[in-house]
Amino acid sequence: MTNTTALITGANKGIGLATARQLGGLGMTVLVGARDAERGRAAERELRDGGADARFVPLDVTDAESVAAAAKLVESEYGRLDVLVNNAGIILADGTLGLPSETTVATMRGVYETNVFGVVTVTNALLPLLRRAPAARIVNVSSEVGSIAVMTDPNSALVELTSVPYPSSKTALNMLTAMYAKELRDTPIKVNAANPGYCATDLNSHHGFRTPEQGAEVSVHLATLPADGPSGLLWGFQMDAGGGYGVLPW
Ligand SMILES: NC(=O)c1ccc[n+]([C@@H]2O[C@H](COP(=O)([O-])OP(=O)(O)OC[C@H]3O[C@@H](n4cnc5c(N)ncnc54)[C@H](OP(=O)(O)O)[C@@H]3O)[C@@H](O)[C@H]2O)c1
């Protein structure tokens, strides 16, 4: 693959960094979105040392000015965008677990600012550049905890999880994915949600049983779908089906 540019938000660590590494390994120019310049530059260095054509792009998904500046940089330097991976995400805004009865609006808002509103801001800022690419792909990094079907299945491994802010933010992200896919169905752009599975990263104090690299495989698969590939799906690791990859229910 040549002359293909991918922007990954939250690419300075975890699944985002692994996604940048893998897309860079495919020959894409990877734009390393990071809100902290030091962490972004360190990731850029690490990726370049590994042979990737990587470039740090300052990008805080909750800051509209930062997003607009990133879009301007992509337009002036690259003219178009082939792949957008909306990967940046947070699990807690204030350190509380988020049981429904204990959840505050402030907690909800904090998580939604990044996981939901940030995705809308970034996607809409980059969409004109994605439309210029011959076959753009948008990957929204979601989670099976955003699937109402999974979370209410009495046989699911997640049956004991009773938390509102993060899971509901991913439910909203799933709906965003479905609606963007619908709006863009007559274009070459494909929009899908990724379920990386439970990966050991800072997000969960490294309790996940999969590696960030394995989680990134899901985003990379959706970022490189062929022309006849699907759009508007939640796809990835299927814990309740005994592992393996496939479509998850919304
Ligand atoms: N790990 C899992 O088991 C798992 C499972 C399902 C889904 N996911 C999803 O996978 C994605 C990546 O998570 P991860 O596990 O790799 O977590 P992580 O290691 O904590 O990485 C999260 C990344 O998002 C960035 N970020 C947070 N807020 C941001 C903002 N406002 N603007 C720009 N970047 C921001 C972080 O930057 P800083 O370093 O500056 O904080 C970091 O680069 C998230 O969307 C998460 O919900 C993870």
Side-chain angles (χ1 to χ4, degrees), residues 139-144 147 150 174 192-199 209-210 214-222 225 230 232-250:
V139 181
N140 293 330
V141 183
S142 185
S143 170
E144 62 214 325
S147 164
V150 170
N174 289 347
N192 289 290
N195 177 36
Y198 194 34
C199 303
F209 53 80
R210 282 164 58 75
Q214 289 173 318
E217 283 173 6
V218 176
S219 294
V220 169
H221 173 84
L222 295 173
L225 285 173
L233 294 179
L234 171 60
W235 189 92
F237 187 69
Q238 296 179 306
M239 184 161 59
D240 289 334
Y245 293 136
V247 178
L248 288 98
W250 293 120

Coordinates of all heavy atoms in Angstrom, one line a residue, residues 139-144 147 150 174 192-199 209-210 214-222 225 230 232-250:
V139 N -12.9 3.9 11.4 CA -13.0 2.8 12.5 C -13.2 3.5 13.8 O -12.4 4.4 14.2 CB -11.7 2.0 12.6 CG1 -11.8 0.9 13.6 CG2 -11.3 1.4 11.2
N140 N -14.4 3.2 14.4 CA -14.7 3.7 15.8 C -14.4 2.7 16.8 O -15.0 1.6 16.8 CB -16.1 4.2 15.8 CG -16.5 5.3 14.9 OD1 -15.6 6.2 14.7 ND2 -17.7 5.4 14.5
V141 N -13.4 2.9 17.6 CA -13.0 1.9 18.6 C -14.0 1.9 19.8 O -14.1 2.8 20.6 CB -11.6 2.1 19.1 CG1 -11.2 0.9 20.0 CG2 -10.6 2.1 17.9
S142 N -14.8 0.8 19.7 CA -16.0 0.7 20.7 C -15.6 -0.4 21.6 O -14.5 -0.7 22.0 CB -17.2 0.4 19.9 OG -18.4 0.4 20.7
S143 N -16.7 -1.1 22.1 CA -16.5 -2.2 23.0 C -17.8 -3.1 23.1 O -18.9 -2.6 22.8 CB -16.2 -1.7 24.4 OG -16.2 -2.7 25.4
E144 N -17.6 -4.3 23.4 CA -18.7 -5.2 23.6 C -19.6 -4.7 24.8 O -20.8 -5.0 24.9 CB -18.3 -6.6 23.8 CG -17.5 -6.9 25.1 CD -16.4 -7.9 24.9 OE1 -16.7 -8.9 24.2 OE2 -15.3 -7.8 25.5
S147 N -22.6 -3.0 23.8 CA -23.7 -3.8 23.1 C -24.8 -4.1 24.2 O -24.6 -4.8 25.1 CB -23.1 -5.1 22.6 OG -24.2 -6.0 22.3
V150 N -25.4 -7.8 24.4 CA -24.4 -8.6 25.2 C -24.6 -8.3 26.7 O -24.6 -9.2 27.6 CB -23.0 -8.2 24.8 CG1 -21.9 -8.8 25.8 CG2 -22.7 -8.7 23.4
N174 N -21.7 3.2 19.1 CA -22.3 2.2 18.2 C -23.3 2.8 17.3 O -23.4 2.6 16.1 CB -22.8 1.0 18.9 CG -21.7 0.2 19.6 OD1 -20.5 0.4 19.3 ND2 -22.1 -0.7 20.5
N192 N -17.2 1.4 10.5 CA -17.5 0.3 11.4 C -16.9 0.6 12.8 O -16.0 1.4 13.0 CB -16.8 -1.0 10.8 CG -17.5 -1.5 9.6 OD1 -18.7 -1.9 9.6 ND2 -16.9 -1.3 8.4
A193 N -17.6 -0.2 13.7 CA -17.1 -0.1 15.1 C -16.3 -1.3 15.4 O -16.6 -2.4 15.0 CB -18.3 0.0 16.0
A194 N -15.2 -1.1 16.2 CA -14.3 -2.2 16.5 C -14.5 -2.6 17.9 O -14.6 -1.8 18.8 CB -12.8 -1.7 16.3
N195 N -14.5 -3.9 18.2 CA -14.4 -4.5 19.6 C -13.0 -5.1 19.7 O -12.8 -6.3 19.3 CB -15.5 -5.5 19.9 CG -15.3 -6.0 21.3 OD1 -14.9 -5.3 22.2 ND2 -15.6 -7.3 21.5
P196 N -12.1 -4.5 20.4 CA -10.7 -5.0 20.5 C -10.6 -6.2 21.4 O -9.7 -7.0 21.4 CB -9.9 -3.9 21.0 CG -10.8 -2.9 21.6 CD -12.2 -3.1 20.9
G197 N -11.7 -6.4 22.3 CA -11.6 -7.4 23.4 C -10.9 -6.7 24.6 O -10.4 -5.6 24.5
Y198 N -10.8 -7.5 25.6 CA -10.2 -7.0 26.9 C -8.7 -7.0 26.8 O -8.1 -8.1 27.0 CB -10.8 -7.9 28.0 CG -10.6 -7.3 29.4 CD1 -10.7 -5.9 29.7 CD2 -10.4 -8.1 30.5 CE1 -10.6 -5.4 31.0 CE2 -10.3 -7.6 31.8 CZ -10.4 -6.3 32.0 OH -10.2 -5.8 33.3
C199 N -8.1 -5.9 26.6 CA -6.6 -5.8 26.3 C -5.9 -5.1 27.5 O -6.5 -4.2 28.1 CB -6.3 -5.0 25.1 SG -7.2 -5.7 23.6
F209 N -6.8 -9.6 29.3 CA -6.2 -10.8 29.0 C -5.7 -10.9 27.5 O -5.1 -11.9 27.1 CB -7.1 -12.0 29.3 CG -8.4 -12.0 28.6 CD1 -8.6 -12.3 27.3 CD2 -9.5 -11.5 29.3 CE1 -9.8 -12.2 26.6 CE2 -10.8 -11.5 28.7 CZ -10.9 -11.8 27.3
R210 N -5.9 -9.8 26.7 CA -5.3 -9.8 25.4 C -4.3 -8.7 25.4 O -4.2 -7.8 26.3 CB -6.5 -9.4 24.4 CG -7.3 -10.7 24.1 CD -8.6 -10.3 23.4 NE -8.5 -9.5 22.2 CZ -8.2 -10.0 21.0 NH1 -7.8 -11.3 20.8 NH2 -8.2 -9.2 19.9
Q214 N -3.0 -7.4 19.9 CA -4.2 -8.2 19.4 C -5.4 -7.3 19.3 O -6.2 -7.4 18.3 CB -4.5 -9.3 20.4 CG -3.4 -10.4 20.4 CD -3.6 -11.4 21.6 OE1 -3.9 -11.1 22.7 NE2 -3.5 -12.7 21.2
G215 N -5.6 -6.3 20.2 CA -6.7 -5.4 20.1 C -6.6 -4.6 18.8 O -7.6 -4.4 18.1
A216 N -5.4 -4.2 18.5 CA -5.2 -3.4 17.3 C -5.5 -4.1 16.0 O -5.9 -3.5 15.0 CB -3.7 -2.9 17.2
E217 N -5.3 -5.4 16.0 CA -5.6 -6.2 14.8 C -7.0 -6.0 14.3 O -7.3 -6.0 13.1 CB -5.5 -7.7 15.1 CG -4.1 -8.3 15.2 CD -4.1 -9.7 15.7 OE1 -5.2 -10.3 15.9 OE2 -3.0 -10.3 16.0
V218 N -7.9 -5.7 15.3 CA -9.3 -5.5 14.9 C -9.5 -4.2 14.2 O -10.2 -4.2 13.1 CB -10.2 -5.6 16.2 CG1 -11.7 -5.3 15.9 CG2 -10.1 -6.9 16.9
S219 N -8.9 -3.2 14.7 CA -9.0 -1.9 14.0 C -8.3 -1.9 12.6 O -8.8 -1.3 11.7 CB -8.3 -0.8 14.9 OG -9.0 -0.6 16.1
V220 N -7.2 -2.6 12.6 CA -6.5 -2.7 11.3 C -7.3 -3.5 10.3 O -7.4 -3.1 9.1 CB -5.1 -3.4 11.5 CG1 -4.4 -3.7 10.2 CG2 -4.2 -2.5 12.3
H221 N -8.0 -4.5 10.7 CA -8.8 -5.3 9.8 C -9.9 -4.3 9.2 O -10.1 -4.3 8.0 CB -9.5 -6.4 10.5 CG -10.5 -7.2 9.7 ND1 -10.2 -8.2 8.8 CD2 -11.9 -7.0 9.7 CE1 -11.3 -8.6 8.3 NE2 -12.4 -7.9 8.7
L222 N -10.5 -3.6 10.1 CA -11.6 -2.7 9.6 C -11.1 -1.5 8.8 O -11.8 -1.0 7.9 CB -12.4 -2.2 10.8 CG -13.2 -3.3 11.5 CD1 -13.8 -2.8 12.8 CD2 -14.3 -4.0 10.6
L225 N -10.5 -2.8 5.0 CA -11.5 -3.6 4.3 C -11.5 -3.4 2.8 O -11.3 -2.3 2.3 CB -12.9 -3.2 4.8 CG -13.3 -3.7 6.2 CD1 -14.6 -3.0 6.7 CD2 -13.4 -5.2 6.3
P230 N -18.0 -4.9 4.5 CA -19.2 -4.4 5.1 C -19.0 -3.0 5.7 O -17.9 -2.5 5.8 CB -19.4 -5.4 6.3 CG -18.0 -5.8 6.7 CD -17.2 -5.9 5.4
G232 N -21.1 -0.4 8.7 CA -22.2 -0.3 9.7 C -22.3 -1.5 10.6 O -23.4 -1.9 11.0
L233 N -21.1 -2.1 11.0 CA -21.1 -3.2 11.9 C -20.3 -3.0 13.1 O -19.4 -2.1 13.1 CB -20.5 -4.4 11.2 CG -21.2 -5.0 10.0 CD1 -20.3 -6.2 9.5 CD2 -22.6 -5.5 10.3
L234 N -20.6 -3.7 14.2 CA -19.7 -3.8 15.4 C -19.0 -5.2 15.2 O -19.7 -6.2 15.2 CB -20.6 -3.8 16.7 CG -19.8 -4.2 18.0 CD1 -18.6 -3.2 18.2 CD2 -20.7 -4.2 19.2
W235 N -17.7 -5.1 15.0 CA -17.0 -6.3 14.6 C -15.7 -6.5 15.5 O -15.1 -5.5 15.8 CB -16.5 -6.2 13.1 CG -15.9 -7.5 12.6 CD1 -16.6 -8.4 11.9 CD2 -14.5 -7.9 12.6 NE1 -15.7 -9.4 11.5 CE2 -14.5 -9.1 11.9 CE3 -13.4 -7.3 13.1 CZ2 -13.3 -9.8 11.8 CZ3 -12.2 -8.0 13.0 CH2 -12.1 -9.2 12.3
G236 N -15.4 -7.7 15.8 CA -14.1 -7.9 16.6 C -14.2 -9.1 17.4 O -14.8 -10.1 17.0
F237 N -13.5 -9.0 18.6 CA -13.3 -10.2 19.5 C -14.7 -10.6 20.1 O -15.4 -9.8 20.6 CB -12.3 -9.8 20.6 CG -12.0 -11.0 21.4 CD1 -11.2 -12.0 20.9 CD2 -12.4 -11.1 22.7 CE1 -10.8 -13.1 21.7 CE2 -12.0 -12.2 23.5 CZ -11.2 -13.2 23.0
Q238 N -14.9 -11.9 20.0 CA -16.2 -12.5 20.5 C -15.9 -13.3 21.7 O -15.8 -14.5 21.6 CB -16.8 -13.3 19.4 CG -17.2 -12.5 18.1 CD -17.8 -13.3 17.1 OE1 -17.3 -14.3 16.7 NE2 -19.0 -12.9 16.6
M239 N -15.9 -12.6 22.8 CA -15.6 -13.4 24.1 C -16.7 -14.4 24.4 O -16.4 -15.5 24.7 CB -15.6 -12.4 25.2 CG -15.2 -13.0 26.6 SD -14.6 -11.8 27.8 CE -16.0 -10.7 27.9
D240 N -17.9 -14.1 24.2 CA -19.0 -15.0 24.5 C -19.1 -16.1 23.5 O -19.8 -17.1 23.8 CB -20.3 -14.3 24.7 CG -20.4 -13.4 25.9 OD1 -19.6 -13.7 26.9 OD2 -21.1 -12.4 25.9
A241 N -18.5 -16.0 22.4 CA -18.5 -17.1 21.4 C -17.2 -17.9 21.5 O -16.8 -18.6 20.6 CB -18.7 -16.5 20.0
G242 N -16.5 -17.7 22.6 CA -15.2 -18.5 22.8 C -14.0 -18.0 22.1 O -13.1 -18.7 21.9
G243 N -14.0 -16.7 21.9 CA -12.9 -16.1 21.2 C -13.1 -16.1 19.7 O -14.1 -16.4 19.2
G244 N -12.1 -15.7 18.9 CA -12.2 -15.5 17.5 C -12.9 -14.2 17.2 O -13.3 -13.4 18.1
Y245 N -12.9 -13.9 15.9 CA -13.4 -12.6 15.4 C -14.7 -12.8 14.6 O -14.9 -13.7 13.9 CB -12.4 -11.9 14.5 CG -11.1 -11.5 15.3 CD1 -9.9 -11.7 14.7 CD2 -11.2 -10.8 16.5 CE1 -8.7 -11.3 15.4 CE2 -10.1 -10.5 17.2 CZ -8.8 -10.7 16.6 OH -7.7 -10.3 17.3
G246 N -15.6 -11.8 14.7 CA -16.8 -11.8 14.0 C -17.7 -10.6 14.3 O -17.3 -9.7 15.1
V247 N -18.9 -10.6 13.8 CA -19.9 -9.5 14.1 C -20.5 -9.7 15.4 O -20.9 -10.9 15.8 CB -21.0 -9.5 13.0 CG1 -22.0 -8.4 13.2 CG2 -20.3 -9.4 11.6
L248 N -20.6 -8.6 16.2 CA -21.3 -8.7 17.5 C -22.6 -8.0 17.3 O -22.8 -7.1 16.5 CB -20.4 -8.0 18.6 CG -19.2 -8.7 19.0 CD1 -18.0 -8.2 18.3 CD2 -19.0 -8.6 20.5
P249 N -23.6 -8.4 18.2 CA -24.9 -7.7 18.1 C -24.8 -6.3 18.7 O -24.0 -6.1 19.6 CB -25.8 -8.7 19.0 CG -24.8 -9.3 20.0 CD -23.5 -9.4 19.2
W250 N -25.6 -5.4 18.2 CA -25.7 -4.1 18.8 C -26.2 -4.1 20.2 O -26.0 -3.2 21.0 CB -26.5 -3.1 18.0 CG -26.1 -2.9 16.6 CD1 -26.7 -3.1 15.4 CD2 -24.8 -2.2 16.2 NE1 -26.0 -2.7 14.4 CE2 -24.8 -2.1 14.8 CE3 -23.8 -1.6 16.9 CZ2 -23.8 -1.4 14.1 CZ3 -22.7 -1.0 16.3 CH2 -22.7 -0.9 14.9

